[in-house]
Amino acid sequence: DRDGARLALASDDRTITLWDSVSGKELHVLKGHTSGIWGVVYSPDGQQLASASDDRTVKLWDATTGRELRTLSGHTVAVLSVAFNLDGSRLALCSGDGTVKVWDTGSGEELHSMRGHSGQVWGVAFSPDGSRLVSASADGTVKVWDTTSGRELQTLKGHTSRGVKVKCSPDAKLVAAAGVDGTVRIW
């Protein structure tokens, strides 16, 4: 989590293990996915976890009790990455099906399903103010999306291989993306 007191580890064995990072004590083992898990992320307040899985779902968990809160589904293949916005009210999912989806974490309602990448989408991140979303794809592009309308605003090109991680600068003026070609590009 944000203060470093807890650590969440996702596994190909379909579980997430929560650890106390100070004592090294195992706190919970979260079970519910039916396939391997690609990633897990804490909400900004540390109260929830979101996990992305090969089973085409994202699960929201209570980070204190380990209880499953909600399952988000709708992708046709594996969900590869997830990201919360700054206040934890929205969750972005990206998938091997080339789509990026935005969900309301409170209601479980899908707000947007954004299409535009021609390859798997491996990384997704919100701008600090939550007005923009960036996504990195196997097609070598990074796309910038408006989170209110779901409309594509810009396509950033430059990677010669798959983009896997993407971030916005704190002032939302720069986007950085890392690719499997060993480069980081900044726009």
Side-chain angles (χ1 to χ4, degrees), residues 38 52-53 75 77-83 92-101 113-125 133-145 152 161-166 178:
W38 281 97
S53 174
H75 284 288
V77 297
V79 180
L80 301 173
S81 187
V82 291
L93 328 176
C94 62
S95 173
D97 64 12
T99 64
V100 177
K101 294 180 183 286
S113 183
M114 299 171 283
R115 300 178 189 281
H117 286 291
S118 62
Q120 298 173 321
V121 185
W122 284 89
V124 65
L133 187 70
V134 291
S135 56
S137 173
D139 64 14
T141 67
V142 171
K143 292 192 179 284
V144 180
W145 309 88
E152 181 183 325
S161 69
R162 180 177 82 206
V164 291
K165 293 291 181 190
V166 64

Side-chain angles (χ1 to χ4, degrees), residues 51-109:
S51 56
S53 174
D54 255 343
D55 67 11
R56 303 182 309 262
T57 70
V58 165
K59 291 190 179 291
L60 290 174
W61 310 86
D62 182 303
T64 303
T65 65
R67 184 174 61 88
E68 183 180 326
L69 301 172
R70 186 179 309 279
T71 298
L72 308 176
S73 56
H75 284 288
T76 59
V77 297
V79 180
L80 301 173
S81 187
V82 291
F84 281 98
N85 69 346
L86 195 58
D87 69 6
S89 65
R90 302 285 184 265
L91 188 68
L93 328 176
C94 62
S95 173
D97 64 12
T99 64
V100 177
K101 294 180 183 286
V102 177
W103 294 77
D104 181 295
T105 57
S107 70
E109 178 186 1

Side-chain angles (χ1 to χ4, degrees), residues 12-51:
D12 197 40
D13 72 359
R14 305 180 308 266
T15 66
I16 301 160
T17 306
L18 303 183
W19 298 89
D20 181 304
S21 59
V22 176
S23 69
K25 180 183 174 191
E26 181 181 294
L27 302 172
H28 299 287
V29 176
L30 313 183
K31 297 178 182 179
H33 282 293
T34 58
S35 292
I37 301 167
W38 281 97
V40 63
V41 63
Y42 277 95
S43 62
D45 65 5
Q47 298 302 304
Q48 292 184 12
L49 287 165
S51 56

